[in-house]
């Protein structure tokens, strides 16, 4: 076989042309810019802030639409949208941030439950922020509804009222891996609640409506925290306050109306750098109104016998409404105080006249409000002061942190 040298340039030109046709065509400057932008820009699906102080999760616009979310703003420097996921009665979500809202609640008696599944296997805590929360409040029935002896109904027991019990509407959280938050009702806008979970936890947020005509308004932001989150609270906390200044305000659920029965509300505070102690006080003496076990003294005066424990006779479980602060000390750090506080009007005291500041170095920083199911109604002189007629509004406290006597 011989090679025709004269035809070689043409053959080579044809081969080169064929190769050029098989290569991708160069993109225009606009196409090249678009291609590189979509290849380079990536962002995490993290919490973002939208309009009207609302929060959501950062997604692409298509992802938000596919998840039936609503855009409330932009995120990721404009490449994503702040997507707000909203669910109502009978729905389920596994998003790290979603909102349980009152868009489909029964008008009469009934149930409204939404379910939350962990977004991934690293989720360890779920936080419920009550952006709006108003349902029927607790019972105000101060007349006798039963008699209690040793914590159980008995015709030989002490007269008991239903004050503070969520017998009409109620909200409860079911599921989790460590305890269960208390059942609440009434007005709790601005409050929050925590629940410890693991990867297998399925959480139900359940409203039970027992009243026919009442205000029902709720919007609950549900946030899931992973094990490495800086916002993760110590296990067992009902609430967690994370002010960067180390100061803030806490209050019992339905504060200002009637404090709720059957509560164990553990209010935890994140410790700031260089602080070894947390202190608690009231802005107003009337911000502490918790019943105690009180007996009539000489001349009609009253004195506190005990709180957070059965009365001296032990005949019924009363006097369990109190605030508990283990290892309590005075503001100066020079004296240990009792760890349980109860009573009305200046209840946070060491005596009957002067409100004080109580502190503790015990970590993690926390204070606990406990209440029982029983409100005593005296039938004869000499029995404890009536709790049911007082309508105690609960506790509201200011806290601050300091480094006094850190070496002690």
């Amino acid at each position: 076989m011989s090679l025709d040298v004269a035809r070689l340039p043409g053959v080579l030109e044809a081969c080169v042309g064929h190769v050029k046709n098989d290569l991708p065509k160069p993109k225009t400057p606009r196409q090249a810019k678009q291609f590189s932008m979509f290849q380079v820009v990536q962002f995490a699906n993290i919490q973002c802030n939208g309009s009207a102080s609302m929060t959501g999760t950062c997604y692409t616009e298509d992802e938000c639409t596919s998840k039936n979310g609503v855009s409330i703003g932009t995120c990721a420097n404009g490449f994503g949208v702040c997507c707000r996921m909203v669910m109502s009665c009978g729905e389920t979500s596994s998003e790290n941030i979603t909102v349980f809202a009152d868009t489909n609640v029964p008008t009469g008696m009934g149930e409204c439950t939404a379910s939350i599944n962990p977004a991934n296997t690293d989720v360890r805590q779920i936080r419920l922020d009550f952006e709006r929360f108003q349902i029927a409040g607790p019972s105000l029935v101060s007349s006798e509804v039963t008699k209690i002896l040793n914590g159980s109904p008995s015709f030989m027991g002490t007269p008991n009222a239903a004050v503070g019990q969520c017998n009409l509407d109620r909200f409860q959280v079911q599921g989790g891996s460590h305890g269960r938050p208390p059942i609440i009702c009434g007005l709790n806008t601005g409050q929050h609640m925590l629940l410890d979970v693991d990867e297998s936890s399925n959480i139900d947020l359940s409203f039970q409506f027992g009243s026919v005509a009442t205000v029902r308004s709720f919007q609950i932001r549900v946030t899931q925290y992973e094990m490495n989150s800086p916002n993760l609270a110590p296990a067992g906390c009902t609430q967690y306050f994370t002010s960067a200044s180390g100061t803030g305000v806490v209050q019992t659920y339905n504060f200002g109306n009637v404090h709720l029965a059957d509560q164990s509300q553990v209010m935890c505070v994140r410790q700031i750098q260089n602080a070894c102690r947390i202190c608690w006080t009231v802005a107003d003496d009337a911000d502490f109104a918790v019943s105690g076990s009180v007996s009539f003294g000489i001349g009609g005066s009253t004195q506190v016998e005990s709180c957070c424990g059965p009365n001296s006779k032990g005949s019924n479980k009363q006097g369990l409404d109190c605030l508990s602060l283990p290892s309590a000390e005075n503001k100066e750090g020079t004296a240990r105080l009792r760890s349980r506080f109860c009573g009305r009007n200046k209840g946070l005291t060491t005596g009957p006249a002067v409100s004080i500041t109580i502190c503790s170095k015990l970590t993690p920083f926390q204070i606990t409000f406990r209440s029982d199911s029983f409100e005593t109604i005296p039938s004869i002189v000499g029995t404890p002061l009536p709790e049911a007629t007082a309508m105690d509004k609960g506790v509201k406290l200011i806290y601050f942190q300091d480094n006094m006597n850190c070496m002690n």
Side-chain angles (χ1 to χ4, degrees), residues 180-227:
R180 180 180 295 180
I183 295 173
I184 64 172
C185 57
L187 180 61
N188 293 291
T189 298
Q191 290 271 39
H192 71 275
M193 183 179 288
L194 297 175
L195 187 72
D196 296 317
V197 299
D198 56 33
E199 64 274 10
S200 62
S201 297
N202 295 315
I203 311 304
D204 286 336
L205 312 180
S206 181
F207 284 93
Q208 300 286 338
F209 298 118
S211 54
V212 176
T214 187
V215 175
R216 291 173 186 167
S217 174
F218 62 87
Q219 182 169 290
I220 304 174
R221 185 172 76 250
V222 183
T223 306
Q224 303 193 23
Y225 292 135
E226 297 181 0
M227 61 178 66

Side-chain angles (χ1 to χ4, degrees), residues 1 7 11 40 47 51 66 111 139 147 153-154 160 182 190 194 224 268-269 347 357-358 386 390:
M1 179 178 179
R7 296 179 58 189
V11 173
V40 173
Q47 181 172 323
S51 59
S66 67
E111 179 181 356
S139 172
K147 289 187 177 182
S154 171
N160 181 63
L194 297 175
Q224 303 193 23
C268 302
V269 177
T357 297
I358 57 175

